[in-house]
Amino acid sequence: MSEVKQERKPEEFTNRDYQAGFITDIDTDTLPPGLNEDVIRHISAKKDEPEWLLNWRLEAFRHWQTMTEPHWPNVTYTPTDYQSISYYSAPKSQADGPKSLDEVDPKLLETYAKLGIPLREQEFLAGVAVDAVFDSVSVATTFKGKLKDVGVIFCPISEAVRDYPELVQQYLGTVVPTGDNFFAALNSAVFTDGSFVFIPKGVRCPMELSTYFRINALNTGQFERTLIIAEEGSYVSYLEGCTAPQRDENQLHAAVVELVALDDAQIKYSTVQNWYPGDENGLGGIYNFVTKRADCRGARSKVSWTQVETGSAITWKYPSCVLRGDDSVGEFYSVALTKMRQQADTGTKMIHIGKNTRSTIVSKGIAAGFGNQSYRGLVRIAKSAEGARNYTQCDSLLIGDKCGAHTFPYVEVKNPSATMEHEATTSKIGEDQLFYCQSRGISEEDAVNMIVNGFCKDVFNELPMEFAVEANRLMEVSLEGAVG
Amino acid sequence: MIKIENLHVSVAGKTILKGINLEIGEGEVHAIMGPNGSGKSTLSNVIAGRDGYEVTQGSITYKGRDLLAMAPEERAWEGVFLAFQYPVEIPGVNNTYLLKAGVNAARRHRGEQELDAMDFMQLVREKAKLVELDQSFLSRGVNEGFSGGEKKRNEIFQMAVLEPSLALLDETDSGLDIDALRIVAKGVNTLRAANRSIIMITHYQRLLDYIQPDVVHVLADGKILKTGDKNLALELEERGYDWVREEAAA
Ligand SMILES: Nc1ncnc2c1ncn2[C@@H]1O[C@H](COP(=O)(O)OP(=O)(O)O)[C@@H](O)[C@H]1O
Ligand SMILES: [Mg+2]
């Protein structure tokens, strides 16, 4: 007798070819593998850096050598051999540093075009300025001139070191000190490129700024450094995107992002992370070990982190806010998707120091296949933080029964006037929800996507419009099954 | 429209339906009544194609085709609609968005052009009036935070938008107060049509005062024990189900 069986189980809807997995064939100037003081001197010399920065790097390196790699996150992986990776790789054609757009190697333009990031003048995304970082160097930054007209500086950090050394020296490492943690120390020693943003007093940045990170070369690590400074009363919305080729080897991405918000300044920082996740057996993929922190230095300043983490074999990051200024506000909106053998240990830290500081944490974790993920969050209310408030909501959605989701909320309250709210849910993608959609004429596959996107909606709503669509699509890419 | 022959169904190894025979012609409205746990929802779920129901014997022919060979979404495209006894909440998925996806999937299946957002909104607004569903429900998450009665009204609203050939209303009346019942019944009556068959599952005769069925069946112990006209419903209301069982056993 005929019985209609679902032919595909939800966990099978989780593998799909990684669309950004191609390799750009380009001549590179790559340092041989290995890490020592000479390598650091070499990187610094390549970038024509001032003495103080070289010394800063060397100090970080010496500190790093005394540190051991932490193992507390809820992830397992083959440790990185730090002597077997190369710490600098750049396309030869870009050897003399960032060029004007007309001079950018067509192969690079083509690479970014394939990724949906047009860098040619006539094809620019309307209202979005892009800094394109390829392996260790920035290859192009669009709309630089237009931004300059209103006093906004948006350029590769290596260029900022050259053109605005006092600004860089004033702020670099003040949010994430060189010795903050193992990976931050490593990054400080060997960082190559990344973006620098400066929004002067009272300026509302007229367009979205974005950096697109691409790892291409084999056996290299990417160590980018981003520094964003928003002066009094300014506003900026910044987005980063990331992809890498499909390779069997793991590659390390250890970035540091520092944000500084002065009085009444607002920074909205969004991430759409789609590094290569490895294959269904867990072979290859990026180790995404990142330190991101915002210093809400000024009164009434506000920083919002929004992240959509769909890629990487291992993700380990906690974009945090130090709420120093009175009445400052920190927000963290996160969607993390782990499928196949992906693992993520991610969350945030909200450190309340100023009076009446407020923080909001909304974390949505989706685990599918053999994916494993943990939300780890710390809310600390210092003694000085009179009237602080935190709201935390973390929801997990499981697809299939071989995946896992965990939450590790930590709370430290030193001031009794604090108001804390915490909500947490874990749900399985319901057979009844799927059937409901199907009975309305929606295929099972579309239904899974619809339910997942619905689950993420509160976070997607926080993304700039241009990228909300992209995020929706990414979730789709990740969950669609090959239709048989 | 639909012909069910000798249908046996088991759930989790337990036999629930034990030889159902039922035929419903175009435009007919049939009521299926029966005590709790008799298998009414099981029958509607099997017709709509829910996973986990094993058909061990029998067949269902719908518009001349083997219904059991079709995936649930395909049944929907072919005009099967189930108004759920317990409509599920799908947080964050916009009510209208879900319906639009459903309507357009069916249109693609029929080789028709998809409705654009404007046309669809117009259609939806019109249909919402039919069940006096406030416009604000259209943009909310599917059943998210709806009251019991609102969920049921939403089901009939969806029926109005999807315009099915065969609608199964599984206890659409339960949980409705008398005013809501009247509104829902009015909606269903408006949707009665010569090319649309309706199966109403209920265990109160109350609903049948508002929606007059052509045929009434009694489903108990996994079988259709008795079939009659709307007077049968009145009799059941008065005498309960036991006499039907006894009569069938005799
Ligand atoms: N998923 C299920 N697993 C186990 N038993 C079930 C399941 N669904 C229904 N049943 C059983 O099948 C019988 C019929 O249920 P149902 O069709 O819901 O009855 P009705 O709708 O007539 O009240 C009941 O005994 C019920 O417990
Ligand atoms: Mg029932």
Side-chain angles (χ1 to χ4, degrees):
Chain A
M1 289 293 104
S2 51
E3 179 207 354
V4 177
K5 274 245 151 215
Q6 283 180 344
E7 287 131 47
R8 290 154 307 175
K9 289 272 164 271
E11 61 263 28
E12 290 164 42
F13 288 97
T14 53
N15 297 333
R16 194 175 195 234
D17 288 345
Y18 179 70
Q19 293 184 334
F22 62 90
I23 297 171
T24 306
D25 181 18
I26 198 162
D27 281 341
T28 59
D29 171 12
T30 302
L31 270 183
L35 182 56
N36 52 48
E37 293 201 359
D38 284 344
V39 167
I40 291 163
R41 284 176 210 284
H42 186 92
I43 292 171
S44 190
K46 272 252 176 250
K47 299 193 175 281
D48 228 350
E49 286 176 354
E51 187 74 19
W52 68 264
L53 189 50
L54 174 62
N55 290 334
W56 190 82
R57 286 176 180 277
L58 289 171
E59 202 179 301
F61 178 64
R62 286 166 199 148
H63 192 151
W64 179 73
Q65 285 176 304
T66 68
M67 300 170 96
T68 44
E69 192 169 337
H71 292 292
W72 48 262
N74 187 21
V75 296
T76 49
Y77 60 97
T78 324
T80 308
D81 175 0
Y82 293 96
Q83 294 305 333
S84 74
I85 51 181
S86 163
Y87 289 82
Y88 185 85
S89 178
K92 270 217 175 92
S93 48
Q94 302 297 123
D96 314 325
K99 299 185 175 185
S100 84
L101 281 168
D102 320 333
E103 296 168 308
V104 175
D105 188 329
K107 265 190 187 163
L108 292 171
L109 294 180
E110 197 188 308
T111 299
Y112 284 94
K114 242 165 129 175
L115 295 168
I117 320 290
L119 296 177
R120 289 185 179 89
E121 294 276 356
Q122 66 274 26
E123 298 161 3
F124 285 161
L125 295 169
V128 183
V130 179
D131 182 17
V133 176
F134 191 88
D135 290 330
S136 304
V137 291
S138 168
V139 294
T141 309
T142 64
F143 288 117
K144 259 197 309 205
K146 191 174 167 199
L147 290 167
K148 194 77 186 295
D149 291 345
V150 292
V152 170
I153 303 170
F154 177 47
C155 66
I157 199 157
S158 49
E159 200 175 304
V161 168
R162 193 185 67 208
D163 297 346
Y164 314 97
E166 320 76 38
L167 270 180
V168 177
Q169 195 169 7
Q170 186 186 343
Y171 288 102
L172 187 73
T174 60
V175 184
V176 180
T178 51
D180 186 79
N181 67 67
F182 183 83
F183 294 103
L186 178 63
N187 174 286
S188 302
V190 301
F191 79 88
T192 43
D193 233 328
S195 298
F196 177 80
V197 176
F198 177 80
I199 316 290
K201 206 168 169 166
V203 171
R204 192 180 167 87
C205 186
M207 55 177 76
E208 304 276 346
L209 305 184
S210 78
T211 304
Y212 197 89
F213 294 100
R214 175 76 177 166
I215 295 179
N216 186 64
L218 182 65
N219 289 332
T220 57
Q222 192 174 55
F223 303 94
E224 93 261 5
R225 185 115 195 163
T226 294
L227 177 57
I228 299 178
I229 301 144
E231 281 198 334
E232 290 84 351
S234 68
Y235 169 87
V236 63
S237 169
Y238 174 93
L239 181 121
E240 58 173 356
C242 340
T243 60
Q246 193 158 340
R247 295 187 191 278
D248 291 348
E249 297 79 15
N250 294 114
Q251 280 179 284
L252 177 64
H253 171 255
V256 172
V257 174
E258 298 179 280
L259 312 184
V260 179
L262 302 183
D263 286 357
D264 300 294
Q266 260 191 57
I267 303 175
K268 191 171 166 56
Y269 191 107
S270 316
T271 302
V272 175
Q273 185 266 107
N274 186 28
W275 294 118
Y276 177 56
D279 70 7
E280 62 276 13
N281 299 315
L283 186 65
I286 301 292
Y287 291 169
N288 188 35
F289 300 161
V290 169
T291 307
K292 289 182 167 170
R293 197 173 302 154
D295 190 351
C296 289
R297 241 168 248 190
R300 297 165 306 277
S301 58
K302 176 176 174 182
V303 169
S304 305
W305 297 103
T306 305
Q307 60 173 23
V308 178
E309 303 281 323
T310 63
S312 297
I314 318 269
T315 294
W316 181 6
K317 61 179 276 201
Y318 314 92
S320 304
C321 295
V322 181
L323 302 170
R324 214 180 292 279
D326 289 347
D327 301 292
S328 61
V329 177
E331 295 176 336
F332 174 74
Y333 299 97
S334 171
V335 164
L337 169 69
T338 49
K339 57 188 187 294
M340 298 187 290
R341 303 271 172 180
Q342 283 178 284
Q343 307 173 63
D345 192 307
T346 183
T348 185
K349 286 189 254 179
M350 293 291 174
I351 312 295
H352 293 252
I353 298 169
K355 289 190 189 64
N356 300 315
T357 45
R358 279 170 292 149
S359 62
T360 302
I361 299 171
V362 177
S363 163
K364 304 275 179 177
I366 301 140
F370 293 89
N372 192 24
Q373 68 169 281
S374 306
Y375 165 80
R376 192 182 300 275
L378 167 68
V379 179
R380 176 184 294 153
I381 312 284
K383 214 166 176 170
S384 54
E386 192 67 26
R389 273 182 289 160
N390 165 262
Y391 171 75
T392 298
Q393 181 190 340
C394 46
D395 300 322
S396 310
L397 184 68
L398 302 172
I399 304 174
D401 50 16
K402 298 185 181 66
C403 51
H406 319 269
T407 53
F408 302 101
Y410 305 92
V411 174
E412 297 171 19
V413 181
K414 300 262 167 60
N415 186 311
S417 68
T419 315
M420 314 283 288
E421 264 182 273
H422 184 95
E423 289 175 31
T425 65
T426 299
S427 51
K428 269 192 126 108
I429 199 159
E431 182 271 334
D432 49 347
Q433 291 176 330
L434 285 178
F435 178 62
Y436 191 88
C437 296
Q438 284 177 286
S439 77
R440 299 306 182 243
I442 295 154
S443 71
E444 188 177 36
E445 190 165 336
D446 289 346
V448 170
N449 282 327
M450 215 180 256
I451 294 165
V452 168
N453 276 309
F455 176 76
C456 301
K457 197 174 164 195
D458 294 347
V459 174
F460 287 171
N461 282 346
E462 295 298 321
L463 286 173
M465 261 266 278
E466 293 86 338
F467 303 107
V469 180
E470 165 79 3
N472 257 287
R473 196 190 58 77
L474 261 187
M475 300 302 288
E476 200 173 297
V477 165
S478 304
L479 288 167
E480 254 176 35
V483 185
Chain B
M1 181 68 68
I2 188 166
K3 190 173 182 187
I4 302 172
E5 288 174 291
N6 192 32
L7 186 73
H8 288 67
V9 174
S10 61
V11 183
K14 184 174 147 203
T15 305
I16 308 293
L17 300 182
K18 302 165 185 165
I20 301 277
N21 290 292
L22 190 62
E23 186 167 356
I24 297 165
E26 270 192 34
E28 292 177 3
V29 176
H30 288 220
I32 298 180
M33 303 183 73
N36 265 331
S38 58
K40 303 182 298 294
S41 293
T42 301
L43 179 63
S44 56
N45 280 322
V46 169
I47 296 173
R50 190 176 199 130
D51 199 18
Y53 293 83
E54 197 190 349
V55 176
T56 52
Q57 267 190 73
S59 64
I60 305 180
T61 314
Y62 171 72
K63 291 182 178 171
R65 291 181 56 190
D66 176 6
L67 185 74
L68 296 175
M70 291 154 72
E73 59 268 32
E74 197 184 348
R75 298 180 197 199
W77 302 335
E78 292 292 341
V80 176
F81 177 85
L82 170 60
F84 286 78
Q85 182 176 0
Y86 304 108
V88 65
E89 300 197 10
I90 313 180
V93 175
N94 183 289
N95 213 10
T96 306
Y97 179 75
L98 174 107
L99 269 181
K100 182 162 172 263
V103 165
N104 280 334
R107 292 180 78 95
R108 277 198 304 278
H109 176 75
R110 291 194 296 263
E112 295 169 10
Q113 210 179 352
E114 294 185 24
L115 291 181
D116 64 25
M118 293 274 274
D119 289 345
F120 189 76
M121 274 321 289
Q122 199 183 334
L123 171 77
V124 150
R125 287 213 186 91
E126 210 174 280
K127 302 293 187 183
K129 282 193 198 123
L130 200 67
V131 285
E132 300 178 25
L133 192 69
D134 193 86
Q135 302 281 329
S136 65
F137 286 89
L138 301 178
S139 53
R140 280 173 52 183
V142 177
N143 295 318
E144 199 179 348
F146 290 22
S147 74
E150 287 160 352
K151 284 181 183 167
K152 295 301 179 71
R153 245 195 276 182
N154 192 34
E155 294 293 290
I156 301 306
F157 157 67
Q158 297 193 3
M159 171 179 165
V161 173
L162 291 164
E163 303 185 318
S165 315
L166 174 67
L168 304 147
L169 312 183
D170 192 354
E171 300 211 18
T172 300
D173 54 335
S174 63
L176 293 183
D177 60 36
I178 196 71
D179 292 330
L181 180 68
R182 237 182 245 129
I183 293 165
V184 164
K186 195 186 90 205
V188 174
N189 281 325
T190 323
L191 293 170
R192 283 179 86 148
N195 58 357
R196 178 171 299 137
S197 311
I198 298 175
I199 300 177
M200 277 190 300
I201 292 170
T202 180
H203 51 220
Y204 300 111
Q205 103 87 23
R206 188 176 73 147
L207 176 69
L208 307 183
D209 288 341
Y210 295 94
I211 309 170
Q212 304 257 322
D214 300 307
V215 184
V216 174
H217 306 275
V218 179
L219 174 60
D221 307 328
K223 283 187 175 162
I224 304 275
L225 294 186
K226 198 171 175 65
T227 296
D229 61 13
K230 63 178 197 293
N231 291 319
L232 175 58
L234 291 169
E235 205 173 344
L236 291 169
E237 179 87 342
E238 230 166 78
R239 300 174 60 191
Y241 292 103
D242 285 346
W243 67 276
V244 183
R245 281 203 177 96
E246 282 158 21
E247 206 179 275

